Amino acid sequence: MRILLVEDDVILGNATSIYLRNSGYVVDWAKDGKLADSALHEVDYDAVVLDLGLPQMDGLEVLKRLRTRKQTTSVIILTARDSLEDRIAGLDLGADDYLIKPIKLAELAARLRAQLRRQHAVLAPTIEYPPLTLHTKDRLVTYQNQPFALSPREFSLLETLLVRVGRVVSKESLLGSISDWDDSLGSNAIEVYMHRLRKKLLLVGIEIRTVRGLGYLLDKQN
Ligand code: CA
């Protein structure tokens, strides 16, 4: 799951991005509104955590542009305690939730999970794809109730394929689900990680199909 964090406060932004990365998300951090706006043009994020008071372009304007483009990405806004008007304006402009600063990171993570569940209807606490079970909160896969060893990136790839089961997922989306701006993963990195994931899944009889020129696919099970 790839999150855009928009926050100009360096200390808060740093703490938040570290916390979210440790929770298993891929996080891009934009420190001003303009950068956020252009990132939202380019990448299809699973959710946005949006501060309102920002340099270059304020958060409400970023949100307004996002919704004008009919993008339905989940947005959680961060507002100051005394700005009831901002909160109302944010919700009116199509924010899905808000948190009042100072925020508690554990609460932000919980609100994000709730938004992502709504966004991806299949993102239940667990996803069954027999014989495997993927536990979205603990970032763990089990096989016959025992942990099934996957690296964090292999886990993210499997999760991305599972929330889109039955649909072809492009290499670009898969790359987006495992790397942020700071990573320099080339697109052939996907082939390397997919090769490893495939080998592991074959051991339990699950096959990831390659759809030439389009991407990868996990078939629906009956
Ligand atoms: Ca701010």
Side-chain angles (χ1 to χ4, degrees), residues 7-9 51-55 101:
E7 173 60 70
D8 60 319
D9 181 309
D51 182 32
L52 294 184
L54 293 167
K101 288 183 169 185

Side-chain angles (χ1 to χ4, degrees), residues 44-212:
D44 192 12
Y45 289 97
D46 295 290
V48 185
V49 176
L50 180 64
D51 182 32
L52 294 184
L54 293 167
Q56 309 283 347
M57 181 189 295
D58 84 44
L60 289 176
E61 181 64 24
V62 174
L63 175 60
K64 197 163 130 192
R65 291 180 179 210
L66 178 77
R67 294 306 186 225
T68 304
R69 292 192 299 273
K70 308 267 183 253
Q71 283 178 274
T72 57
T73 319
S74 294
V75 176
I76 299 178
I77 53 175
L78 307 180
T79 73
R81 184 169 297 282
D82 53 1
S83 60
L84 177 65
E85 283 160 18
D86 276 358
R87 248 176 286 155
I88 294 171
L91 292 170
D92 281 344
L93 284 172
D96 299 280
D97 200 355
Y98 66 86
L99 276 175
I100 295 171
K101 288 183 169 185
I103 60 166
K104 296 224 169 33
L105 292 172
E107 186 182 5
L108 172 62
R111 301 277 189 101
L112 260 178
R113 283 196 298 277
Q115 286 305 324
L116 293 168
R117 270 201 295 277
R118 223 166 290 169
Q119 186 85 357
H120 300 289
V122 282
L123 195 65
T126 60
I127 301 175
E128 300 288 343
Y129 195 80
L132 298 181
T133 304
L134 183 136
H135 305 261
T136 55
K137 180 169 172 252
D138 300 326
R139 321 257 336 136
L140 173 79
V141 173
T142 52
Y143 171 66
Q144 294 175 346
N145 294 320
Q146 298 297 315
F148 182 77
L150 292 179
S151 71
R153 279 184 167 153
E154 290 162 357
F155 177 94
S156 294
L157 289 177
L158 179 60
E159 182 183 51
T160 304
L161 289 167
L162 278 175
V163 298
R164 293 165 180 81
V165 77
R167 285 187 280 161
V168 179
V169 185
S170 69
K171 262 190 206 174
E172 292 70 33
S173 321
L174 288 166
L175 190 63
S177 75
I178 61 166
S179 63
D180 57 39
W181 296 342
D182 301 331
D183 284 325
S184 50
L185 286 182
S187 65
N188 58 352
I190 282 298
E191 280 154 37
V192 175
Y193 288 112
M194 284 303 278
H195 176 73
R196 290 185 201 156
L197 176 62
R198 254 190 173 137
K199 257 170 63 182
K200 291 185 181 176
L201 294 186
L202 273 180
L203 296 174
V204 294
I206 294 175
E207 193 192 345
I208 299 172
R209 283 173 45 199
T210 304
V211 182
R212 204 171 290 275

